[in-house]
Amino acid sequence: MEQLLLTIDVKCLDAVSVEGHSQTVVMVPFTGKAKGDFFNGEIIGSSVDTQRYKNDGTNSLSARYMIEGVDFEGKKCKVFVENNVSGDSWKPSIVTDSEVLKDWETSALRSTVEGCEGGVTVKIFKA
């Protein structure tokens, strides 16, 4: 049974883009907050969703961000998330300095991304 690890409320900022000869690249910076039974925190530093639209009709999407907060034992920690589109599904990977969340680094994960006012809601699940 899947377990919901994190819900991340992402607020998108102004996008920047370049239309190249072989593809268009759009970068969307963002902020946000994460909440869940195991970790709660806030996105820190530079976070960006990179969207590449190639002239041949293929595309790729990747979001990278760092969240600083506390784990379920109340200890301060950081969680790095990289969320990539794999086929038609989102495939996240996580790196953390939390001892109690370390299994997130090796667990099979999946995520959903749903639009909401001013951004998206990302949910990360452990299989």
Side-chain angles (χ1 to χ4, degrees):
M1 181 174 188
E2 279 191 328
Q3 181 179 43
L4 177 61
L5 299 182
L6 286 173
T7 299
I8 305 145
D9 294 318
V10 172
K11 299 300 174 207
C12 296
L13 304 173
D14 292 336
V16 294
S17 64
V18 60
E19 284 193 38
H21 300 280
S22 62
Q23 62 186 298
T24 298
V25 178
V26 180
M27 296 178 70
V28 182
F30 60 89
T31 62
K33 295 185 181 198
K35 59 187 175 201
D37 293 337
F38 307 102
F39 174 84
N40 290 283
E42 190 165 328
I43 294 174
I44 60 169
S46 299
S47 303
V48 68
D49 177 46
T50 304
Q51 306 165 10
R52 299 171 72 124
Y53 301 97
K54 296 184 180 178
N55 291 351
D56 67 4
T58 62
N59 61 52
S60 63
L61 303 142
S62 178
R64 293 179 180 93
Y65 48 102
M66 186 84 62
I67 311 167
E68 187 173 58
V70 294
D71 62 28
F72 64 89
E73 288 187 342
K75 294 182 180 169
K76 287 186 175 186
C77 61
K78 293 179 184 166
V79 173
F80 168 78
V81 178
E82 182 171 349
N83 207 3
N84 294 296
V85 169
S86 177
D88 58 355
S89 63
W90 286 94
K91 189 80 174 154
S93 62
I94 291 178
V95 176
T96 182
D97 58 0
S98 168
E99 186 64 29
V100 296
L101 303 178
K102 68 182 177 183
D103 71 306
W104 289 9
E105 292 189 15
T106 57
S107 296
L109 305 174
R110 79 167 186 89
S111 62
T112 61
V113 179
E114 297 177 10
C116 64
E117 187 175 334
V120 296
T121 299
V122 178
K123 292 184 178 180
I124 298 178
F125 299 88
K126 181 172 150 183

